[in-house]
Structures are given as C-alpha cells and as structure tokens.
Amino acid sequence: MHRIPAVIVGAFAGLALITGIVWAQVGFKASPVLQTTTTAAGQSIQFPQVNNEISALMVEIAPGGDTGRHKHPIPAFVYVLQGVITLEENGQPTRVYKAGKAFVETVNTWHNAFNKGSTPAKALVVFVGEKGRPGLVRP
C-alpha cells in the first residue's frame, strides 16, 4: 500500500525534473562576459575577509564627459553596455572599451574614464568590498 504512493511520487518527481530541464533551456542563453583573477593592469584580485558587500551602479558618461579622477580601494567589475569608454590610468597605457566588453578596474590607482564619442556611454559597475567602506575615492 505504501509502495504505490512512492512510485507515484517518484514518477511526478521525474516528470518535474524533465519538464524543469526542458523549461530552463527554452528561450535562455548564457554567454561568458569575463572570467579573470587579475585587474586590467594585471593586479591579483583580493577580496575583503569580513562584512562583504556587493554594490552595483549604472553609470552614464555624456559625450565629451568624464568620471573625474578617482580610484577604487576594492575590486570594481565594469561591463560597457553602450558607447565607448576610454580609460586613462597612472602608470598604464590608455585602454579603450567598446560596448560588450568587460574589465576589472585597477585597485588603488588614480584614473579617469572619458567618453570621447558622440553618443552617451553606459556601463554597469559592480563593486565587491566591505560593508560601510566606499568603493570610490576622490582626491
């Protein structure tokens, strides 16, 4: 008597698993954006050991605009969504990132990001740091 419910439950679980797998694959695409252990300048990425916090910003730089000189005391992942961002950084060659490109900003190095194009540049910036500590420092 207990065997029949177990078979029925097993059948429903199997059906749910198969249906879930098929459902998850319909209309879904995952493309790698970035996988790295270093910043754009080659620094090893280090994370705080306690009170971790993730913050995300949508950044827009107008044509001819810039972010202003700043640095990050923690890792910052940047994904360019639109336009072109030119990054000028102390001690590093100028780097240019177009829409669809991603990078991790150099930690504790002064830099400035420019939009030298004629359309707005937009980027998603994700900070991984310590709760209560700023992800950006200005001079």
Side-chain angles (χ1 to χ4, degrees), residues 52-58 74-77 124-135:
N52 293 328
E53 178 177 71
I54 296 174
S55 302
L57 300 173
M58 188 65 67
I74 57 176
F77 165 81
L124 172 67
V125 180
V126 179
F127 297 99
V128 179
E130 187 175 344
K131 185 176 179 180
R133 294 190 70 199

Side-chain angles (χ1 to χ4, degrees), residues 2 7 14 24 26 40 51 53 72 80-81 96-97 113 123 125-126 132 136-137:
H2 292 287
V7 170
V26 175
N51 299 323
E53 178 177 71
H72 305 284
V80 181
L81 300 165
V96 177
Y97 298 98
V125 180
V126 179
L136 183 138
V137 176

